Amino acid sequence: MDTTTFEATTTVETIKTPAYGATNSIFNGLKRMEIERRLPQGDEVHIDILYCGVCHSDVHQVKNDWKNTVYPCVPGHEIVGRISQIGSAVTKFKVGDLVGVGCMVDSCGECQPCKHGEENYCQGPVSWTATYNGPMKPDGSGANTFGGYSTNITVKESFVLRIPEGLDITAAAPILCAGVTTYSPMKHWNVKAGDQVGIVGLGGLGHMAVKIAKALGANVTVLTTSKDKVADAEAFGAHEVIISTDSAAMKQHEATFDFILNTIPDAYDISDYVSLLNLDGTIVAVGLLGEYKKPLNNMDMAMYRRTVAGSIIGSIAETQEVLDFCAEHNILPEVQMIKMQDINKAFDDLLDKEVRYRHVIDMQSLKEEEA
């Protein structure tokens, strides 16, 4: 973990690091601040951050929408950078390697999920440690982690990903969250060639889901409220697009899908989509981390033996898999490059659904601000 997980009994060398973050729960924009990073010890690597993606979770977290934010909060969990220093016990990486850091920087390593390579479901005392605002279950110590809206970060090598050759590093960062968050459930529920797959929502997660499902050989249908995204959905590989507010079109597609991935980040009526599942079909929510708008009618479930499920990010192994998969299939997120100083405008655009389809911050802009 980084120096931002405070270790009162350990003295380590630290450096001052420029960052952008939120100072308190009365959110009035991200501001320039200075944090401390420790230099790498043992099995840790120190990374100069080149690019960092902007995720919808960043907005939720800094605004304390989940009522668990520890301030100050420095977001950013889609990090691409280059290793500048390594600890004495590092074996997997060397100085100069191009690497990524996703949503996690640590876990207990001892529970059954961790031992089976599913750190994102860590059942340890504090669960997995998020790249920012970690650990997931606060222990009362005030421990906190700071993310990628900064110029550098120190992370255990076991939570660092190798960026494959052939991936454009200016666009690759969102694969570390949006990519693995959509890839992991498709892998778990065995999405395969010929499956009828629905993707609900065509935003940062949804557009990656379409590309990945298409590459897996599925027949992909996008469900969106935005008529102006139809052409984009088709360009990304969708075989069909349904406007979800069209009740006739929704009725026509009842009991047709084997698998639906729902990326909507806010409360919605899941029953609208459950009826689209065929016998033994599964719908997985990856956007919403909260309650649905209305209770689910189990009659709609039982009559078709349908499953409603959830999934959160993906393991370290799956993150490496999806990076390699994207490199193999020439898949990249659609990104808009911004400067760090434009982050508050980017947040506004994200909330107004004006992003096509993921912002990526060029961290050189923050380094130049510091110069």
Side-chain angles (χ1 to χ4, degrees):
M1 289 182 287
D2 204 341
T3 185
T4 47
T5 51
F6 305 129
E7 299 178 2
T9 60
T10 304
T11 300
V12 295
E13 186 178 356
T14 62
I15 58 173
K16 300 292 186 182
T17 298
Y20 268 65
T23 55
N24 56 58
S25 59
I26 304 174
F27 184 70
N28 56 359
L30 299 186
K31 295 179 171 57
R32 169 75 162 74
M33 61 177 61
E34 192 173 72
I35 60 175
E36 283 192 340
R37 299 289 199 191
R38 76 176 178 213
L39 295 181
Q41 308 290 307
D43 63 349
E44 298 172 336
V45 301
H46 188 71
I47 303 165
D48 286 338
I49 300 175
L50 301 174
Y51 302 99
C52 184
V54 179
C55 179
H56 206 285
S57 297
D58 298 346
V59 181
H60 283 306
Q61 197 72 75
V62 298
K63 295 177 69 177
N64 199 24
D65 288 343
W66 298 321
K67 308 303 179 187
N68 67 346
T69 303
V70 180
Y71 295 97
C73 178
V74 176
H77 56 210
E78 299 176 346
I79 298 167
V80 171
R82 197 173 295 279
I83 294 177
S84 58
Q85 297 183 52
I86 62 174
S88 58
V90 170
T91 60
K92 298 178 182 178
F93 300 99
K94 65 182 184 302
V95 171
D97 282 351
L98 196 62
V99 295
V101 178
C103 301
M104 300 178 287
V105 291
D106 206 357
S107 70
C108 81
E110 299 295 329
C111 67
Q112 185 175 1
C114 283
K115 288 182 176 179
H116 285 82
E118 295 183 313
E119 307 89 349
N120 49 317
Y121 297 107
C122 175
Q123 296 174 345
V126 296
S127 188
W128 48 277
T129 299
T131 304
Y132 68 88
N133 205 76
M136 288 299 291
K137 298 178 181 178
D139 59 4
S141 68
N144 195 14
T145 51
F146 296 151
Y149 290 12
S150 56
T151 57
N152 58 73
I153 192 169
T154 299
V155 182
K156 278 185 174 182
E157 68 170 341
S158 55
F159 284 80
V160 175
L161 292 310
R162 190 175 301 279
I163 302 298
E165 290 185 13
L167 274 184
D168 179 357
I169 63 170
T170 67
I175 299 172
L176 295 155
C177 175
V180 73
T181 297
T182 54
Y183 174 82
S184 177
M186 290 190 209
K187 176 186 175 185
H188 180 78
W189 276 277
N190 192 33
V191 170
K192 59 189 182 300
D195 282 354
Q196 300 296 324
V197 171
I199 306 298
V200 183
L202 194 69
L205 291 174
H207 89 286
M208 284 299 294
V210 173
K211 294 184 178 188
I212 291 170
K214 170 71 172 179
L216 289 169
N219 294 308
V220 184
T221 298
V222 167
L223 297 99
T224 177
T225 59
S226 303
K227 294 181 180 179
D228 63 346
K229 289 186 176 180
V230 171
D232 283 354
E234 292 172 345
F236 299 152
H239 298 84
E240 187 176 1
V241 182
I242 301 171
I243 303 303
S244 56
T245 53
D246 183 341
S247 57
M250 294 288 279
K251 182 72 175 177
Q252 182 183 350
H253 287 81
E254 285 185 357
T256 59
F257 293 101
D258 302 304
F259 180 86
I260 297 175
L261 193 72
N262 197 324
T263 71
I264 299 173
D266 304 307
Y268 57 90
D269 186 356
I270 194 171
S271 298
D272 293 342
Y273 304 101
V274 168
S275 63
L276 303 178
L277 291 172
N278 204 344
L279 179 66
D280 288 329
T282 299
I283 182 169
V284 183
V286 294
L288 177 65
L289 294 177
E291 296 180 352
Y292 295 114
K293 186 177 289 186
K294 295 180 181 179
L296 182 63
N297 183 348
N298 196 50
M299 180 66 77
D300 294 336
M301 302 289 294
M303 294 301 291
Y304 284 83
R305 203 164 55 197
R306 293 160 168 155
T307 300
V308 172
S311 178
I312 191 164
I313 56 172
S315 67
I316 293 300
E318 287 173 328
T319 309
Q320 189 63 64
E321 280 182 30
V322 74
L323 284 165
D324 295 339
F325 182 86
C326 288
E328 177 185 354
H329 293 275
N330 196 28
I331 296 172
L332 281 172
E334 305 294 318
V335 305
Q336 298 176 26
M337 191 68 65
I338 64 168
K339 295 182 178 181
M340 186 73 260
Q341 297 81 358
D342 298 327
I343 188 59
N344 291 308
K345 172 65 163 56
F347 273 20
D348 289 341
D349 289 346
L350 185 58
L351 292 172
D352 292 338
K353 300 181 180 180
E354 295 295 330
V355 185
R356 298 296 175 92
Y357 282 85
R358 204 73 160 186
H359 281 127
V360 171
I361 307 165
D362 182 351
M363 280 303 157
Q364 187 61 38
S365 59
L366 183 51
K367 296 172 184 176
E368 290 171 350
E369 179 180 290
E370 182 69 5

